[in-house]
Amino acid sequence: MVATIVASLPSFLLASSVAHSSSTSSLIFNKLRSSSRLRFSFAVAPLCSRRAKFMAHTLASANLGLTQPANIENPKIAFAAKEIDVGEWKGDMLAVGVTEKDMTKDENSKFQNSILKKLDRLLGGLLAEVSSEEDFTGKSGQSTVLRLPGLGSKRVGLIGLGQSASSPSAFRGLGEAVAAAAKTAQANSVAVVLASSEGLSNESKLGIASAIASGAVLGIHEDNRYKSESKKPQLKSLDILGLGTGPDLEKKLKYAEDVSSAIVFGRELVNSPANVLTPAALAEEASKIASSYSDVISANILTAEQCKELKMGSYLGVAAASDNPPYFIHLCYKPLSGPIKAKLALVGKGLTFDSGGYNIKTGPGCSIDVMKIDMGGSAAVLGSAKALGQIKPPGVEVHFIVASCENMISGTGMRPGDILTASNGKTIEVNNTDAEGRLTLADALVYACNQGVEKIVDLATLTGACIVALGPSIAGVFTPSDELAKEVFEASEISGEKFWRMPLEESYWESMKSGVADMVNTGGRPGGAITAALFLKQFVDEKVQWMHIDLAGPVWNEKKRVATGFGVSTLVEWVLKNSS
């Protein structure tokens, strides 16, 4: 009977369903285990009658709601860099990125910008006339698409860049706006050109082209896997004009495509509901990455029994209340050849759902309805693994670590006042079961240090306090290392993601002391993001450079109610900086 039920489940749920059965576990991971670089460690218990009852419950809950994501392939855009006169380009839509200065007109209401002047002349003055009627001034967020005869392109789109455009985020926004305009116009082939590109260095041109391409990929992405009906985007090709050509630019466009694909992967992980993305399903997604890039990535997935052997009492205390068993994910990237110059670890919080435990999330602003996003840190980490598996940087070894579980409520769950012992021997009095992410990260950080790494960056949707401090768009950075801070902030300047360094005020540790254990797990409301970071610091070897990133705000777009994929781009850039 069990075998019949298992066979009927979708493949991505099999791991969750059969975590405790030796015969069925082999069915799930057999093809993945065949890879020489892929290693799974499972502790399998005999299936007694009590276990059979548990199995039946797990099988029923694993497919809760009978929800299965549709198998939708993300669309591909063919990118090309061309040096061609804008009047000669042929296609569905020519999109021009313009600043407010570019839209300046003379006393005869004629454009002064050379590209706009040329287009306007070819269109018999209609571009200037229509842009005035549309009140288009080039402000950021403005766009207008005009169907005007007289060019090789069927339509001309004007995309506003604001007073000036110099940051990666501005040009990524241009790419997203072009994708949106193409969707509205149902355009298959699009070209993008900047009205003003004079004086740009070759390096700047590479960065701009990459940002536009990345924005276009992210702009056409719609997560329709859980909708009964969806339309495929029309955009098939995007030509980038006036920013040069050649192998360096082609390589940069390929890089943008790889990273953007990984960001989309991270978005879809976070978007997936907790009845689909269980800890076992997340572990299987990690295993698929290792299988896809088995030449450079290996996997070690630990069960609860194996984590118990490693004395991960802090992590297992959080996992204890859920019927969905925890899985500790460890991927390792090693280059194809050459010496290893740096050993790094990326650690992500992996709570696939957080109820708050006995300190259940209640009341306005508790956000329990979106607590599927509490694995946003792990999504950034696994997205980075996917990108790096594709890019294959030399000279760097990277460990991707996620202690995945659910924080639920049951008679077996941790209670306020319980004392947990982490794998480094430190004891923690649980004074709030809703401060669970740091408990899972504690053992994950100890594990990361034991891999012999020199630098660790952990990412977590850890505190509401960080959102209060920095708002929804900026991640908080906590680190005692100025050198590591410099590296990550330089990476973020390229990625365009927003970070702000916060203080690690050691005097605040007084609020984290326990009368009966080494520490409590939360110090109260004042400085909550800081005390959370100080807690994590207790589980990092002093010889290891460490940074904690609280991305509780920017991981989720509240207006659109979808994930952002935040963190992937910066992490990849940071790893590449360490590989060079």
Side-chain angles (χ1 to χ4, degrees):
M1 181 61 181
V2 170
T4 303
I5 298 174
V6 169
S8 69
L9 289 173
S11 61
F12 62 89
L13 290 175
L14 283 172
S16 174
S17 305
V18 297
H20 297 283
S21 166
S22 59
S23 60
T24 49
S25 291
S26 63
L27 294 175
I28 304 163
F29 295 107
N30 188 49
K31 65 177 181 178
L32 296 175
R33 191 188 290 117
S34 62
S35 167
S36 60
R37 293 298 303 277
L38 196 58
R39 181 162 57 92
F40 292 93
S41 299
F42 288 95
V44 180
L47 195 62
C48 63
S49 60
R50 181 179 299 177
R51 179 73 69 185
K53 290 180 181 178
F54 175 80
M55 279 283 295
H57 179 75
T58 304
L59 287 167
S61 63
N63 203 17
L64 182 66
L66 305 180
T67 300
Q68 300 179 28
N71 186 18
I72 298 175
E73 282 192 26
N74 288 311
K76 299 284 186 182
I77 302 175
F79 293 103
K82 297 180 179 179
E83 287 292 348
I84 184 174
D85 188 279
V86 291
E88 296 177 3
W89 182 84
K90 289 180 170 52
D92 291 335
M93 185 175 74
L94 174 68
V96 187
V98 296
T99 64
E100 293 178 43
K101 182 180 178 181
D102 294 330
M103 293 301 296
T104 303
K105 297 171 184 173
D106 60 21
E107 63 276 7
N108 297 316
S109 298
K110 299 294 183 183
F111 289 116
Q112 294 180 306
N113 175 272
S114 58
I115 286 183
L116 294 178
K117 185 185 292 185
K118 177 184 289 186
L119 289 172
D120 196 40
R121 186 178 68 252
L122 293 171
L123 293 168
L126 288 174
L127 186 63
E129 182 181 333
V130 175
S131 65
S132 295
E133 291 178 357
E134 294 282 334
D135 196 27
F136 181 87
T137 60
K139 290 181 179 178
S140 179
Q142 274 191 319
S143 65
T144 184
V145 177
L146 314 169
R147 181 151 192 162
L148 299 173
L151 294 177
S153 59
K154 296 176 183 177
R155 293 173 178 83
V156 177
L158 299 178
I159 312 294
L161 296 172
Q163 292 184 344
S164 63
S166 57
S167 67
S169 58
F171 293 111
R172 185 176 295 111
L174 172 59
E176 291 181 2
V178 168
K183 179 182 178 181
T184 301
Q186 296 186 318
N188 288 301
S189 55
V190 175
V192 182
V193 65
L194 297 181
S196 298
S197 59
E198 302 85 2
L200 291 174
S201 66
N202 287 334
E203 184 177 356
S204 295
K205 289 180 179 180
L206 290 175
I208 291 169
S210 175
I212 291 171
S214 178
V217 173
L218 298 177
I220 67 167
H221 173 247
E222 289 185 32
D223 193 350
N224 294 319
R225 296 170 300 152
Y226 299 98
K227 294 180 179 180
S228 57
E229 295 181 6
S230 62
K231 292 183 179 179
K232 291 184 178 180
Q234 300 290 317
L235 183 58
K236 297 292 190 295
S237 67
L238 182 67
D239 294 341
I240 299 176
L241 311 181
L243 293 177
T245 58
D248 286 345
L249 187 49
E250 290 173 7
K251 184 178 178 181
K252 197 70 175 177
L253 292 176
K254 177 64 168 60
Y255 171 80
E257 189 176 0
D258 291 340
V259 175
S260 299
S261 175
I263 293 172
V264 167
F265 172 73
R267 284 180 176 181
E268 294 190 347
L269 286 179
V270 177
N271 285 339
S272 291
N275 63 322
V276 173
L277 192 75
T278 61
L282 186 64
E284 187 176 358
E285 290 298 331
S287 302
K288 287 178 183 176
I289 294 171
S291 180
S292 298
Y293 307 105
S294 58
D295 55 338
V296 289
I297 297 179
S298 59
N300 188 21
I301 310 297
L302 304 179
T303 62
E305 284 297 320
Q306 290 169 303
C307 291
K308 187 176 180 180
E309 291 173 8
L310 294 175
K311 300 181 179 180
M312 295 184 179
S314 186
Y315 163 47
L316 294 175
V318 177
S322 178
D323 284 346
N324 285 313
Y327 284 92
F328 190 96
I329 300 164
H330 177 200
L331 303 184
C332 179
Y333 169 88
K334 290 185 179 181
L336 293 168
S337 60
I340 303 295
K341 301 175 184 177
K343 291 186 178 182
L344 314 174
L346 300 176
V347 178
K349 177 182 172 183
L351 270 291
T352 58
F353 187 77
D354 174 25
S355 69
Y358 279 107
N359 292 104
I360 191 169
K361 296 176 183 290
T362 58
C366 72
S367 299
I368 194 171
D369 58 316
V370 291
M371 278 301 105
K372 65 180 183 178
I373 74 170
D374 218 15
M375 40 64 65
S378 67
V381 167
L382 295 180
S384 302
K386 179 178 173 65
L388 292 168
Q390 184 72 31
I391 297 166
K392 297 178 174 50
V396 63
E397 177 179 311
V398 189
H399 297 265
F400 309 89
I401 296 166
V402 176
S404 184
C405 64
E406 291 181 325
N407 185 26
M408 301 295 282
I409 301 172
S410 78
T412 61
M414 64 179 178
R415 296 146 294 212
D418 282 358
I419 295 177
L420 308 177
T421 304
S423 48
N424 65 348
K426 293 189 176 182
T427 57
I428 307 154
E429 180 186 2
V430 179
N431 61 355
N432 190 326
T433 61
D434 195 23
E436 86 301 328
R438 64 199 70 182
L439 297 173
T440 66
L441 288 170
D443 283 323
L445 289 168
V446 172
Y447 183 94
C449 290
N450 290 338
Q451 306 310 306
V453 300
E454 299 141 15
K455 302 172 186 177
I456 297 175
V457 173
D458 80 68
L459 302 96
T461 49
L462 206 63
T463 66
C466 203
I467 303 177
V468 172
L470 298 176
S473 303
I474 305 171
V477 169
F478 302 81
T479 178
S481 170
D482 292 339
E483 179 185 343
L484 184 54
K486 184 174 183 291
E487 288 179 6
V488 172
F489 276 94
E490 285 178 353
S492 73
E493 288 176 6
I494 298 171
S495 73
E497 294 179 322
K498 295 179 180 179
F499 297 83
W500 191 264
R501 191 173 181 183
M502 303 283 278
L504 269 174
E505 179 55 53
E506 292 289 346
S507 66
Y508 289 6
W509 184 247
E510 285 297 316
S511 69
M512 299 291 288
K513 291 183 177 179
S514 167
V516 292
D518 294 332
M519 66 194 83
V520 292
N521 70 322
T522 180
R525 292 177 63 83
I530 299 173
T531 54
L534 290 171
F535 177 91
L536 297 178
K537 187 172 179 281
Q538 311 309 307
F539 302 92
V540 180
D541 191 309
E542 291 182 356
K543 297 177 183 178
V544 176
Q545 292 185 52
W546 160 75
M547 172 184 286
H548 162 59
I549 297 175
D550 192 330
L551 40 65
V555 77
W556 184 250
N557 184 323
E558 182 61 34
K559 183 178 180 181
K560 296 181 179 179
R561 303 287 290 178
V562 293
T564 63
F566 185 91
V568 173
S569 183
T570 299
L571 292 181
V572 173
E573 288 288 347
W574 176 66
V575 170
L576 293 183
K577 281 182 173 294
N578 278 272
S579 76
S580 59

